[in-house]
Amino acid sequence: VAVRRKGKLAIVDLGGESLVFHLKMTGSLEVLPERRAGRSTALVIRGTDRRGRPFFLHFNDTRKFGFVALVAGDPLASGPAAALGPDALDLTAGMLEAILSSSRRRIKTLLLDQETIAGIGNIYADETLHRARLHPLTRADRVPRGTIPELHAHLGAVLAEAVARGGSSVRDYVDPCGRRGSFQEEHAVYGRAGEPCRTCGRAIVRTVVGGRGTHLCPSCQPAPRRRRAGARGH
Ligand SMILES: [Zn+2]
């Protein structure tokens, strides 16, 4: 009936029931005129298009982290999408300010938490924080209030540009028509450790925040100052 998205989930509405896909790291959906299952194909669904021609939706996933769920009723009310926070593209600056000001977590960890804001992946968190000149370890409630509209605008711009360019094909990602994305060519920090910052020339650094590889410019995104000696934010 329709295909839509919330956060990182693709929702295929079948009329009363929905298929909810998460591609995770290496999953892809591919629409082909014939069945062409390969070694990494987990599922093939045969459908018929509006002109009555058959098509075959393939769900491929080499590393098998992705999943598909069949959900009865409203797919936003139950199943994997029910726990998600507001979609990043629906977020207003006011909503972002409310989320940040009520959290003591690190800004990057917060941006990646799908139950807080849905749809921001590791690449897009790094690129957004770089544009906003925020260090990923900055405590959310210490992001200066006046800079939140700018952070919000950078988040929206990064996501919109990435969508327009078909995403980031840093490994083997392709869209359902088999096309690679090209946003990886625009990355300012992600995957550029050791290369010069495009703003200041200093080498981009890779570190780990909340278990995730994290890329930043140490000049453009200075580390947050500790307010109390020995204080441990979390
Ligand atoms: Zn820089």
Side-chain angles (χ1 to χ4, degrees), residues 13-48:
D13 181 2
L14 305 174
E17 292 178 317
S18 301
L19 289 169
V20 180
F21 292 93
H22 196 314
L23 303 178
K24 296 280 182 174
M25 298 293 284
T26 57
S28 68
L29 291 169
E30 196 175 12
V31 178
L32 297 169
E34 69 276 321
R35 185 189 164 92
R36 209 187 295 157
R39 256 197 333 190
S40 65
T41 304
L43 181 70
V44 181
I45 296 169
R46 184 187 190 280
T48 307

PDB file of all heavy atoms in Angstrom, residues 13-48:
ATOM      1  N   ASP A  13       3.788  -0.860   4.326  1.00  0.00           N
ATOM      2  CA  ASP A  13       2.394  -1.035   4.730  1.00  0.00           C
ATOM      3  C   ASP A  13       1.705  -2.001   3.770  1.00  0.00           C
ATOM      4  O   ASP A  13       1.609  -1.743   2.572  1.00  0.00           O
ATOM      5  CB  ASP A  13       1.714   0.340   4.717  1.00  0.00           C
ATOM      6  CG  ASP A  13       0.266   0.276   5.136  1.00  0.00           C
ATOM      7  OD1 ASP A  13      -0.221  -0.823   5.476  1.00  0.00           O
ATOM      8  OD2 ASP A  13      -0.397   1.325   5.101  1.00  0.00           O
ATOM      9  N   LEU A  14       1.242  -3.133   4.311  1.00  0.00           N
ATOM     10  CA  LEU A  14       0.599  -4.144   3.470  1.00  0.00           C
ATOM     11  C   LEU A  14      -0.919  -4.035   3.518  1.00  0.00           C
ATOM     12  O   LEU A  14      -1.615  -4.811   2.873  1.00  0.00           O
ATOM     13  CB  LEU A  14       1.035  -5.548   3.932  1.00  0.00           C
ATOM     14  CG  LEU A  14       2.539  -5.805   3.993  1.00  0.00           C
ATOM     15  CD1 LEU A  14       2.821  -7.165   4.600  1.00  0.00           C
ATOM     16  CD2 LEU A  14       3.183  -5.693   2.617  1.00  0.00           C
ATOM     17  N   GLY A  15      -1.445  -3.074   4.320  1.00  0.00           N
ATOM     18  CA  GLY A  15      -2.890  -2.969   4.492  1.00  0.00           C
ATOM     19  C   GLY A  15      -3.324  -3.821   5.663  1.00  0.00           C
ATOM     20  O   GLY A  15      -3.629  -5.002   5.484  1.00  0.00           O
ATOM     21  N   GLY A  16      -3.314  -3.255   6.866  1.00  0.00           N
ATOM     22  CA  GLY A  16      -3.660  -4.010   8.067  1.00  0.00           C
ATOM     23  C   GLY A  16      -2.457  -4.608   8.774  1.00  0.00           C
ATOM     24  O   GLY A  16      -2.456  -4.800   9.976  1.00  0.00           O
ATOM     25  N   GLU A  17      -1.447  -4.924   8.014  1.00  0.00           N
ATOM     26  CA  GLU A  17      -0.188  -5.410   8.572  1.00  0.00           C
ATOM     27  C   GLU A  17       0.957  -4.657   7.901  1.00  0.00           C
ATOM     28  O   GLU A  17       0.789  -4.124   6.796  1.00  0.00           O
ATOM     29  CB  GLU A  17      -0.007  -6.915   8.307  1.00  0.00           C
ATOM     30  CG  GLU A  17      -0.982  -7.794   9.053  1.00  0.00           C
ATOM     31  CD  GLU A  17      -0.780  -9.265   8.694  1.00  0.00           C
ATOM     32  OE1 GLU A  17      -0.598  -9.564   7.499  1.00  0.00           O
ATOM     33  OE2 GLU A  17      -0.806 -10.097   9.613  1.00  0.00           O
ATOM     34  N   SER A  18       2.091  -4.650   8.575  1.00  0.00           N
ATOM     35  CA  SER A  18       3.249  -3.962   8.007  1.00  0.00           C
ATOM     36  C   SER A  18       4.498  -4.812   8.189  1.00  0.00           C
ATOM     37  O   SER A  18       4.635  -5.541   9.175  1.00  0.00           O
ATOM     38  CB  SER A  18       3.483  -2.621   8.709  1.00  0.00           C
ATOM     39  OG  SER A  18       2.359  -1.789   8.597  1.00  0.00           O
ATOM     40  N   LEU A  19       5.395  -4.679   7.223  1.00  0.00           N
ATOM     41  CA  LEU A  19       6.736  -5.229   7.386  1.00  0.00           C
ATOM     42  C   LEU A  19       7.640  -4.091   7.833  1.00  0.00           C
ATOM     43  O   LEU A  19       7.638  -3.026   7.218  1.00  0.00           O
ATOM     44  CB  LEU A  19       7.252  -5.799   6.062  1.00  0.00           C
ATOM     45  CG  LEU A  19       6.598  -7.084   5.589  1.00  0.00           C
ATOM     46  CD1 LEU A  19       7.026  -7.375   4.148  1.00  0.00           C
ATOM     47  CD2 LEU A  19       6.979  -8.248   6.500  1.00  0.00           C
ATOM     48  N   VAL A  20       8.364  -4.313   8.923  1.00  0.00           N
ATOM     49  CA  VAL A  20       9.237  -3.271   9.461  1.00  0.00           C
ATOM     50  C   VAL A  20      10.674  -3.767   9.359  1.00  0.00           C
ATOM     51  O   VAL A  20      11.035  -4.774   9.983  1.00  0.00           O
ATOM     52  CB  VAL A  20       8.853  -2.943  10.921  1.00  0.00           C
ATOM     53  CG1 VAL A  20       9.775  -1.866  11.480  1.00  0.00           C
ATOM     54  CG2 VAL A  20       7.395  -2.497  11.000  1.00  0.00           C
ATOM     55  N   PHE A  21      11.468  -3.076   8.540  1.00  0.00           N
ATOM     56  CA  PHE A  21      12.852  -3.484   8.294  1.00  0.00           C
ATOM     57  C   PHE A  21      13.833  -2.578   9.018  1.00  0.00           C
ATOM     58  O   PHE A  21      13.647  -1.359   9.046  1.00  0.00           O
ATOM     59  CB  PHE A  21      13.201  -3.379   6.795  1.00  0.00           C
ATOM     60  CG  PHE A  21      12.492  -4.372   5.918  1.00  0.00           C
ATOM     61  CD1 PHE A  21      11.285  -4.046   5.302  1.00  0.00           C
ATOM     62  CD2 PHE A  21      13.048  -5.619   5.675  1.00  0.00           C
ATOM     63  CE1 PHE A  21      10.648  -4.949   4.463  1.00  0.00           C
ATOM     64  CE2 PHE A  21      12.415  -6.534   4.833  1.00  0.00           C
ATOM     65  CZ  PHE A  21      11.213  -6.196   4.230  1.00  0.00           C
ATOM     66  N   HIS A  22      14.890  -3.158   9.565  1.00  0.00           N
ATOM     67  CA  HIS A  22      16.052  -2.387  10.001  1.00  0.00           C
ATOM     68  C   HIS A  22      17.264  -2.969   9.270  1.00  0.00           C
ATOM     69  O   HIS A  22      17.544  -4.160   9.389  1.00  0.00           O
ATOM     70  CB  HIS A  22      16.246  -2.500  11.513  1.00  0.00           C
ATOM     71  CG  HIS A  22      17.169  -1.438  12.057  1.00  0.00           C
ATOM     72  ND1 HIS A  22      18.372  -1.128  11.460  1.00  0.00           N
ATOM     73  CD2 HIS A  22      17.061  -0.609  13.126  1.00  0.00           C
ATOM     74  CE1 HIS A  22      18.960  -0.150  12.140  1.00  0.00           C
ATOM     75  NE2 HIS A  22      18.187   0.188  13.164  1.00  0.00           N
ATOM     76  N   LEU A  23      17.962  -2.128   8.528  1.00  0.00           N
ATOM     77  CA  LEU A  23      19.085  -2.620   7.719  1.00  0.00           C
ATOM     78  C   LEU A  23      20.361  -2.783   8.525  1.00  0.00           C
ATOM     79  O   LEU A  23      21.284  -3.493   8.087  1.00  0.00           O
ATOM     80  CB  LEU A  23      19.341  -1.666   6.541  1.00  0.00           C
ATOM     81  CG  LEU A  23      18.147  -1.425   5.620  1.00  0.00           C
ATOM     82  CD1 LEU A  23      18.531  -0.436   4.532  1.00  0.00           C
ATOM     83  CD2 LEU A  23      17.653  -2.721   5.012  1.00  0.00           C
ATOM     84  N   LYS A  24      20.431  -2.117   9.703  1.00  0.00           N
ATOM     85  CA  LYS A  24      21.656  -2.163  10.528  1.00  0.00           C
ATOM     86  C   LYS A  24      22.888  -1.858   9.680  1.00  0.00           C
ATOM     87  O   LYS A  24      22.844  -0.990   8.826  1.00  0.00           O
ATOM     88  CB  LYS A  24      21.772  -3.511  11.242  1.00  0.00           C
ATOM     89  CG  LYS A  24      20.633  -3.731  12.242  1.00  0.00           C
ATOM     90  CD  LYS A  24      20.878  -3.000  13.544  1.00  0.00           C
ATOM     91  CE  LYS A  24      19.752  -3.274  14.535  1.00  0.00           C
ATOM     92  NZ  LYS A  24      20.009  -2.712  15.848  1.00  0.00           N
ATOM     93  N   MET A  25      24.000  -2.580   9.906  1.00  0.00           N
ATOM     94  CA  MET A  25      25.272  -2.191   9.284  1.00  0.00           C
ATOM     95  C   MET A  25      25.348  -2.521   7.792  1.00  0.00           C
ATOM     96  O   MET A  25      25.867  -1.743   7.005  1.00  0.00           O
ATOM     97  CB  MET A  25      26.434  -2.914   9.986  1.00  0.00           C
ATOM     98  CG  MET A  25      26.598  -2.582  11.442  1.00  0.00           C
ATOM     99  SD  MET A  25      27.096  -0.878  11.699  1.00  0.00           S
ATOM    100  CE  MET A  25      28.828  -0.978  11.258  1.00  0.00           C
ATOM    101  N   THR A  26      24.885  -3.686   7.408  1.00  0.00           N
ATOM    102  CA  THR A  26      25.179  -4.149   6.044  1.00  0.00           C
ATOM    103  C   THR A  26      23.936  -4.592   5.276  1.00  0.00           C
ATOM    104  O   THR A  26      24.055  -5.147   4.186  1.00  0.00           O
ATOM    105  CB  THR A  26      26.170  -5.350   6.072  1.00  0.00           C
ATOM    106  OG1 THR A  26      25.589  -6.393   6.881  1.00  0.00           O
ATOM    107  CG2 THR A  26      27.513  -4.957   6.642  1.00  0.00           C
ATOM    108  N   GLY A  27      22.761  -4.337   5.829  1.00  0.00           N
ATOM    109  CA  GLY A  27      21.548  -4.782   5.147  1.00  0.00           C
ATOM    110  C   GLY A  27      21.212  -3.903   3.957  1.00  0.00           C
ATOM    111  O   GLY A  27      21.618  -2.748   3.878  1.00  0.00           O
ATOM    112  N   SER A  28      20.476  -4.480   3.012  1.00  0.00           N
ATOM    113  CA  SER A  28      19.969  -3.678   1.904  1.00  0.00           C
ATOM    114  C   SER A  28      18.668  -4.286   1.402  1.00  0.00           C
ATOM    115  O   SER A  28      18.440  -5.492   1.515  1.00  0.00           O
ATOM    116  CB  SER A  28      20.992  -3.595   0.762  1.00  0.00           C
ATOM    117  OG  SER A  28      21.147  -4.855   0.156  1.00  0.00           O
ATOM    118  N   LEU A  29      17.827  -3.429   0.889  1.00  0.00           N
ATOM    119  CA  LEU A  29      16.607  -3.866   0.219  1.00  0.00           C
ATOM    120  C   LEU A  29      16.827  -3.635  -1.259  1.00  0.00           C
ATOM    121  O   LEU A  29      17.370  -2.611  -1.667  1.00  0.00           O
ATOM    122  CB  LEU A  29      15.401  -3.049   0.711  1.00  0.00           C
ATOM    123  CG  LEU A  29      14.992  -3.330   2.152  1.00  0.00           C
ATOM    124  CD1 LEU A  29      13.972  -2.286   2.620  1.00  0.00           C
ATOM    125  CD2 LEU A  29      14.404  -4.724   2.287  1.00  0.00           C
ATOM    126  N   GLU A  30      16.398  -4.600  -2.069  1.00  0.00           N
ATOM    127  CA  GLU A  30      16.617  -4.495  -3.494  1.00  0.00           C
ATOM    128  C   GLU A  30      15.358  -4.962  -4.209  1.00  0.00           C
ATOM    129  O   GLU A  30      14.838  -6.036  -3.911  1.00  0.00           O
ATOM    130  CB  GLU A  30      17.814  -5.370  -3.887  1.00  0.00           C
ATOM    131  CG  GLU A  30      18.372  -5.060  -5.239  1.00  0.00           C
ATOM    132  CD  GLU A  30      19.638  -5.865  -5.532  1.00  0.00           C
ATOM    133  OE1 GLU A  30      19.959  -6.817  -4.793  1.00  0.00           O
ATOM    134  OE2 GLU A  30      20.287  -5.539  -6.536  1.00  0.00           O
ATOM    135  N   VAL A  31      14.895  -4.154  -5.135  1.00  0.00           N
ATOM    136  CA  VAL A  31      13.718  -4.515  -5.925  1.00  0.00           C
ATOM    137  C   VAL A  31      14.193  -4.935  -7.312  1.00  0.00           C
ATOM    138  O   VAL A  31      14.869  -4.169  -8.006  1.00  0.00           O
ATOM    139  CB  VAL A  31      12.736  -3.329  -6.033  1.00  0.00           C
ATOM    140  CG1 VAL A  31      11.538  -3.712  -6.901  1.00  0.00           C
ATOM    141  CG2 VAL A  31      12.270  -2.900  -4.650  1.00  0.00           C
ATOM    142  N   LEU A  32      13.864  -6.164  -7.693  1.00  0.00           N
ATOM    143  CA  LEU A  32      14.304  -6.695  -8.986  1.00  0.00           C
ATOM    144  C   LEU A  32      13.111  -7.284  -9.727  1.00  0.00           C
ATOM    145  O   LEU A  32      12.140  -7.722  -9.102  1.00  0.00           O
ATOM    146  CB  LEU A  32      15.348  -7.811  -8.771  1.00  0.00           C
ATOM    147  CG  LEU A  32      16.668  -7.397  -8.103  1.00  0.00           C
ATOM    148  CD1 LEU A  32      17.481  -8.628  -7.720  1.00  0.00           C
ATOM    149  CD2 LEU A  32      17.469  -6.488  -9.017  1.00  0.00           C
ATOM    150  N   PRO A  33      13.182  -7.325 -11.062  1.00  0.00           N
ATOM    151  CA  PRO A  33      12.066  -7.901 -11.827  1.00  0.00           C
ATOM    152  C   PRO A  33      12.008  -9.422 -11.729  1.00  0.00           C
ATOM    153  O   PRO A  33      11.021 -10.028 -12.124  1.00  0.00           O
ATOM    154  CB  PRO A  33      12.336  -7.447 -13.256  1.00  0.00           C
ATOM    155  CG  PRO A  33      13.795  -7.158 -13.306  1.00  0.00           C
ATOM    156  CD  PRO A  33      14.205  -6.741 -11.929  1.00  0.00           C
ATOM    157  N   GLU A  34      13.092 -10.041 -11.247  1.00  0.00           N
ATOM    158  CA  GLU A  34      13.038 -11.487 -11.058  1.00  0.00           C
ATOM    159  C   GLU A  34      13.701 -11.853  -9.733  1.00  0.00           C
ATOM    160  O   GLU A  34      14.403 -11.049  -9.137  1.00  0.00           O
ATOM    161  CB  GLU A  34      13.715 -12.237 -12.212  1.00  0.00           C
ATOM    162  CG  GLU A  34      15.219 -12.094 -12.293  1.00  0.00           C
ATOM    163  CD  GLU A  34      15.661 -10.834 -13.015  1.00  0.00           C
ATOM    164  OE1 GLU A  34      15.021 -10.466 -14.013  1.00  0.00           O
ATOM    165  OE2 GLU A  34      16.628 -10.202 -12.556  1.00  0.00           O
ATOM    166  N   ARG A  35      13.456 -13.092  -9.315  1.00  0.00           N
ATOM    167  CA  ARG A  35      14.056 -13.577  -8.090  1.00  0.00           C
ATOM    168  C   ARG A  35      15.538 -13.838  -8.342  1.00  0.00           C
ATOM    169  O   ARG A  35      15.903 -14.542  -9.281  1.00  0.00           O
ATOM    170  CB  ARG A  35      13.349 -14.877  -7.674  1.00  0.00           C
ATOM    171  CG  ARG A  35      13.794 -15.444  -6.358  1.00  0.00           C
ATOM    172  CD  ARG A  35      13.203 -16.839  -6.148  1.00  0.00           C
ATOM    173  NE  ARG A  35      13.911 -17.510  -5.082  1.00  0.00           N
ATOM    174  CZ  ARG A  35      13.534 -17.480  -3.801  1.00  0.00           C
ATOM    175  NH1 ARG A  35      12.431 -16.867  -3.467  1.00  0.00           N
ATOM    176  NH2 ARG A  35      14.264 -18.068  -2.888  1.00  0.00           N
ATOM    177  N   ARG A  36      16.397 -13.218  -7.513  1.00  0.00           N
ATOM    178  CA  ARG A  36      17.828 -13.379  -7.698  1.00  0.00           C
ATOM    179  C   ARG A  36      18.496 -13.461  -6.317  1.00  0.00           C
ATOM    180  O   ARG A  36      19.255 -12.593  -5.934  1.00  0.00           O
ATOM    181  CB  ARG A  36      18.397 -12.209  -8.495  1.00  0.00           C
ATOM    182  CG  ARG A  36      19.638 -12.579  -9.314  1.00  0.00           C
ATOM    183  CD  ARG A  36      20.252 -11.341  -9.941  1.00  0.00           C
ATOM    184  NE  ARG A  36      19.395 -10.705 -10.926  1.00  0.00           N
ATOM    185  CZ  ARG A  36      19.500  -9.413 -11.282  1.00  0.00           C
ATOM    186  NH1 ARG A  36      20.407  -8.636 -10.734  1.00  0.00           N
ATOM    187  NH2 ARG A  36      18.694  -8.905 -12.191  1.00  0.00           N
ATOM    188  N   ALA A  37      18.135 -14.508  -5.579  1.00  0.00           N
ATOM    189  CA  ALA A  37      18.649 -14.641  -4.215  1.00  0.00           C
ATOM    190  C   ALA A  37      20.116 -15.044  -4.236  1.00  0.00           C
ATOM    191  O   ALA A  37      20.511 -15.948  -4.971  1.00  0.00           O
ATOM    192  CB  ALA A  37      17.833 -15.671  -3.450  1.00  0.00           C
ATOM    193  N   GLY A  38      20.908 -14.363  -3.432  1.00  0.00           N
ATOM    194  CA  GLY A  38      22.323 -14.695  -3.302  1.00  0.00           C
ATOM    195  C   GLY A  38      22.599 -15.277  -1.932  1.00  0.00           C
ATOM    196  O   GLY A  38      21.675 -15.539  -1.153  1.00  0.00           O
ATOM    197  N   ARG A  39      23.878 -15.437  -1.629  1.00  0.00           N
ATOM    198  CA  ARG A  39      24.257 -16.030  -0.348  1.00  0.00           C
ATOM    199  C   ARG A  39      23.802 -15.202   0.847  1.00  0.00           C
ATOM    200  O   ARG A  39      23.544 -15.737   1.910  1.00  0.00           O
ATOM    201  CB  ARG A  39      25.781 -16.186  -0.304  1.00  0.00           C
ATOM    202  CG  ARG A  39      26.215 -17.621  -0.520  1.00  0.00           C
ATOM    203  CD  ARG A  39      27.629 -17.862  -0.087  1.00  0.00           C
ATOM    204  NE  ARG A  39      28.453 -16.642  -0.153  1.00  0.00           N
ATOM    205  CZ  ARG A  39      29.767 -16.647  -0.001  1.00  0.00           C
ATOM    206  NH1 ARG A  39      30.372 -17.775   0.216  1.00  0.00           N
ATOM    207  NH2 ARG A  39      30.465 -15.535  -0.063  1.00  0.00           N
ATOM    208  N   SER A  40      23.745 -13.867   0.660  1.00  0.00           N
ATOM    209  CA  SER A  40      23.400 -13.006   1.789  1.00  0.00           C
ATOM    210  C   SER A  40      21.904 -12.671   1.824  1.00  0.00           C
ATOM    211  O   SER A  40      21.467 -11.882   2.640  1.00  0.00           O
ATOM    212  CB  SER A  40      24.216 -11.727   1.727  1.00  0.00           C
ATOM    213  OG  SER A  40      23.862 -10.981   0.583  1.00  0.00           O
ATOM    214  N   THR A  41      21.112 -13.279   0.937  1.00  0.00           N
ATOM    215  CA  THR A  41      19.686 -12.968   0.889  1.00  0.00           C
ATOM    216  C   THR A  41      18.947 -13.688   2.010  1.00  0.00           C
ATOM    217  O   THR A  41      18.998 -14.916   2.107  1.00  0.00           O
ATOM    218  CB  THR A  41      19.090 -13.373  -0.475  1.00  0.00           C
ATOM    219  OG1 THR A  41      19.831 -12.731  -1.499  1.00  0.00           O
ATOM    220  CG2 THR A  41      17.624 -12.968  -0.571  1.00  0.00           C
ATOM    221  N   ALA A  42      18.280 -12.909   2.859  1.00  0.00           N
ATOM    222  CA  ALA A  42      17.556 -13.487   3.994  1.00  0.00           C
ATOM    223  C   ALA A  42      16.097 -13.744   3.642  1.00  0.00           C
ATOM    224  O   ALA A  42      15.468 -14.645   4.202  1.00  0.00           O
ATOM    225  CB  ALA A  42      17.641 -12.551   5.196  1.00  0.00           C
ATOM    226  N   LEU A  43      15.554 -12.948   2.733  1.00  0.00           N
ATOM    227  CA  LEU A  43      14.123 -12.993   2.479  1.00  0.00           C
ATOM    228  C   LEU A  43      13.843 -12.447   1.083  1.00  0.00           C
ATOM    229  O   LEU A  43      14.476 -11.483   0.661  1.00  0.00           O
ATOM    230  CB  LEU A  43      13.420 -12.106   3.528  1.00  0.00           C
ATOM    231  CG  LEU A  43      11.909 -11.989   3.518  1.00  0.00           C
ATOM    232  CD1 LEU A  43      11.262 -13.299   3.950  1.00  0.00           C
ATOM    233  CD2 LEU A  43      11.480 -10.869   4.443  1.00  0.00           C
ATOM    234  N   VAL A  44      12.927 -13.094   0.373  1.00  0.00           N
ATOM    235  CA  VAL A  44      12.463 -12.565  -0.917  1.00  0.00           C
ATOM    236  C   VAL A  44      10.946 -12.486  -0.857  1.00  0.00           C
ATOM    237  O   VAL A  44      10.287 -13.472  -0.492  1.00  0.00           O
ATOM    238  CB  VAL A  44      12.896 -13.456  -2.106  1.00  0.00           C
ATOM    239  CG1 VAL A  44      12.410 -12.858  -3.427  1.00  0.00           C
ATOM    240  CG2 VAL A  44      14.403 -13.652  -2.137  1.00  0.00           C
ATOM    241  N   ILE A  45      10.395 -11.327  -1.167  1.00  0.00           N
ATOM    242  CA  ILE A  45       8.949 -11.156  -1.163  1.00  0.00           C
ATOM    243  C   ILE A  45       8.502 -10.853  -2.585  1.00  0.00           C
ATOM    244  O   ILE A  45       9.015  -9.925  -3.224  1.00  0.00           O
ATOM    245  CB  ILE A  45       8.529 -10.012  -0.215  1.00  0.00           C
ATOM    246  CG1 ILE A  45       8.908 -10.377   1.224  1.00  0.00           C
ATOM    247  CG2 ILE A  45       7.031  -9.732  -0.323  1.00  0.00           C
ATOM    248  CD1 ILE A  45       8.776  -9.232   2.195  1.00  0.00           C
ATOM    249  N   ARG A  46       7.538 -11.633  -3.059  1.00  0.00           N
ATOM    250  CA  ARG A  46       7.016 -11.407  -4.402  1.00  0.00           C
ATOM    251  C   ARG A  46       5.828 -10.465  -4.299  1.00  0.00           C
ATOM    252  O   ARG A  46       4.939 -10.664  -3.467  1.00  0.00           O
ATOM    253  CB  ARG A  46       6.578 -12.733  -5.023  1.00  0.00           C
ATOM    254  CG  ARG A  46       6.099 -12.622  -6.452  1.00  0.00           C
ATOM    255  CD  ARG A  46       5.534 -13.969  -6.921  1.00  0.00           C
ATOM    256  NE  ARG A  46       5.275 -13.989  -8.338  1.00  0.00           N
ATOM    257  CZ  ARG A  46       4.205 -13.461  -8.911  1.00  0.00           C
ATOM    258  NH1 ARG A  46       3.275 -12.870  -8.176  1.00  0.00           N
ATOM    259  NH2 ARG A  46       4.042 -13.538 -10.226  1.00  0.00           N
ATOM    260  N   GLY A  47       5.832  -9.441  -5.109  1.00  0.00           N
ATOM    261  CA  GLY A  47       4.720  -8.504  -5.132  1.00  0.00           C
ATOM    262  C   GLY A  47       4.286  -8.236  -6.554  1.00  0.00           C
ATOM    263  O   GLY A  47       4.870  -8.763  -7.505  1.00  0.00           O
ATOM    264  N   THR A  48       3.241  -7.429  -6.676  1.00  0.00           N
ATOM    265  CA  THR A  48       2.748  -7.051  -7.996  1.00  0.00           C
ATOM    266  C   THR A  48       2.607  -5.536  -8.016  1.00  0.00           C
ATOM    267  O   THR A  48       2.035  -4.954  -7.089  1.00  0.00           O
ATOM    268  CB  THR A  48       1.365  -7.693  -8.265  1.00  0.00           C
ATOM    269  OG1 THR A  48       1.481  -9.097  -8.041  1.00  0.00           O
ATOM    270  CG2 THR A  48       0.914  -7.446  -9.685  1.00  0.00           C
TER     271      THR A  48
END
